[in-house]
Amino acid sequence: MSALAPGLQAFFTDRLIGQRAASPNTIAAYKTTLRLLVGFAAARAAKTPSELDIADVDAAVVAAFLGHLELERHNSPATRNNRLAAIHSLFGYLALRHPEHAASIQRVLAIPQKRTERNLVTYLTDIEVQALLDACDRSRFTGRRDHALFLLAVQAGLRISELAGLTCGDVTLGTGANVHTVGKGRKERHTPLVANTQAVLKTWLAERAGSTSDPLFPTNTGNRMSRDAIERRLAHHLAIARLHCPSLGAKHVTMHTLRHTAAMRLLLAGNDVTVIALWLGHEQLATTNIYLHADMTHKQQAIDRTRSLNANPGRYRPSDALLAFLEAL
């Protein structure tokens, strides 16, 4: 076995699990990235993965792998950057254990992140939210479950991983009603529930009739719903909702869109961005500022408070024939 294989194994057991106590989501993301990288490098070097050495995964191979992700696997630049971050983490660890490969490792660590475009967030209007909720067939168990799940997502702004991980005991009704979650970075938070969400969850919990440790939103067999299953249920109901709400057809909607919707509803209600950051569990306020850019209301109010400029319309007229030619191109 080469130096890469034991180093890779120690990276997970020693660094991620032993030293950093990384979350299962982080370990799963790193595992997927490095499995893809090792498979790509093994095929390129005509070796089995266990035979690969650190020199077989040099900067040229990593760069080719990143190109493969974008061109053949159609990963976005953001996903490509996440994959690169996992590779950098591995090679930073290998640099401490294998100084004899320092030059090769340093070239991998020097591969830069790709700059990405930051698009405005997509969120749903109240009419679109209602169309989505109405699309859930509440004469069926799955429809009542999905209705409660989507309503909670829009009101509380929970991540899909937080929704999938909820148990019946995480919901507190009555005075001080809230939902308890353990979110990104293992940060705990309690999110208040409004009256209509309380009523829906109270009815759902009575039908669910599970113990405090049972999943709040189970499958038909009583197991915990996966994130992919939740996204598929959302896509199913969106297809129905678009028949009655055409504006949904112009939007790419995922479960994270419902989280954005919760944030925009809070912003449009006049809440300060720091309150929204606390509500969503953001560690950095800059993460929450994206909602300020998406909201035209605040921008319009700001421009309305300024005085109009006295500017007369005019047209540029070049004073030279060459400039006129260039301008006309």
Side-chain angles (χ1 to χ4, degrees):
M1 188 177 288
S2 68
L4 180 63
L8 182 59
Q9 293 172 4
F11 171 69
F12 280 95
T13 57
D14 181 34
R15 172 58 63 85
L16 291 184
I17 299 175
Q19 297 177 9
R20 293 181 55 189
S23 70
N25 287 337
T26 299
I27 293 173
Y30 279 33
K31 177 188 71 174
T32 300
T33 296
L34 298 176
R35 178 176 55 80
L36 291 172
L37 173 63
V38 167
F40 179 85
R44 192 179 177 97
K47 296 181 178 180
T48 65
S50 296
E51 294 173 339
L52 287 174
D53 200 357
I54 294 175
D56 293 321
V57 192
D58 58 10
V61 172
V62 173
F65 170 69
L66 296 174
H68 162 76
L69 292 178
E70 291 192 82
L71 297 177
E72 297 183 36
R73 293 182 64 88
H74 307 293
N75 288 171
S76 67
T79 301
R80 177 256 192 208
N81 288 343
N82 289 337
R83 304 290 192 211
L84 180 59
I87 295 170
H88 279 171
S89 183
L90 168 65
F91 276 80
Y93 178 74
L94 293 177
L96 302 175
R97 294 170 58 94
H98 298 283
E100 69 276 14
H101 291 287
S104 176
I105 291 172
Q106 196 58 43
R107 284 191 288 272
V108 172
L109 294 175
I111 297 175
Q113 297 273 320
K114 176 174 283 191
R115 296 195 63 175
T116 60
E117 294 182 359
R118 175 166 287 185
N119 298 321
L120 294 177
V121 298
T122 300
Y123 64 96
L124 304 185
T125 64
D126 288 350
I127 294 175
E128 291 167 342
V129 169
Q130 193 59 54
L132 173 61
L133 296 176
D134 290 344
C136 301
D137 182 3
R138 276 172 275 178
S139 66
R140 301 170 61 88
F141 171 84
T142 54
R144 293 189 295 274
R145 178 201 63 196
D146 296 345
H147 177 266
L149 188 153
F150 297 150
L151 179 62
L152 180 61
V154 170
Q155 192 252 287
L158 304 185
R159 298 179 179 91
I160 186 172
S161 59
E162 295 168 346
L163 288 163
L166 286 176
T167 65
C168 296
D170 287 326
V171 177
T172 300
L173 300 176
T175 304
N178 68 86
V179 59
H180 166 260
T181 54
V182 179
K184 198 173 182 180
R186 285 178 292 225
K187 295 190 292 289
E188 285 190 81
R189 71 182 190 277
H190 292 268
T191 306
L193 299 174
V194 298
N196 66 328
T197 306
Q198 286 188 60
V200 170
L201 288 177
K202 182 178 181 179
T203 303
W204 169 248
L205 282 169
E207 177 181 357
R208 172 73 181 85
S211 66
T212 55
S213 60
D214 288 337
L216 179 62
F217 301 114
T219 63
N220 287 329
T221 58
N223 296 319
R224 192 178 301 279
M225 292 182 72
S226 67
R227 287 181 288 182
D228 286 343
I230 294 175
E231 289 286 9
R232 286 195 297 269
R233 294 305 298 171
L234 176 64
H236 169 75
H237 295 299
L238 280 170
I240 299 172
R242 288 186 175 112
L243 299 176
H244 306 285
C245 186
S247 62
L248 281 171
K251 296 182 177 181
H252 175 64
V253 181
T254 66
M255 287 301 298
H256 211 69
T257 307
L258 303 189
R259 178 171 163 85
H260 291 327
T261 301
M264 292 303 299
R265 285 167 59 85
L266 289 169
L267 183 64
L268 295 174
N271 291 286
D272 187 80
V273 68
T274 55
V275 175
I276 300 172
L278 179 65
W279 187 282
L280 296 179
H282 286 165
E283 191 168 297
Q284 301 292 333
L285 190 60
T287 307
T288 319
N289 285 335
I290 61 173
Y291 300 109
L292 291 174
H293 295 286
D295 177 31
M296 288 298 296
T297 305
H298 282 68
K299 297 177 184 178
Q300 187 62 50
Q301 290 172 350
I303 198 65
D304 288 343
R305 289 193 291 267
T306 64
R307 187 176 64 181
S308 299
L309 299 173
N310 293 323
N312 296 322
R315 181 179 176 185
Y316 170 68
R317 297 183 182 279
S319 58
D320 183 86
L322 178 59
L323 293 179
F325 167 77
L326 295 174
E327 183 66 23
L329 289 177

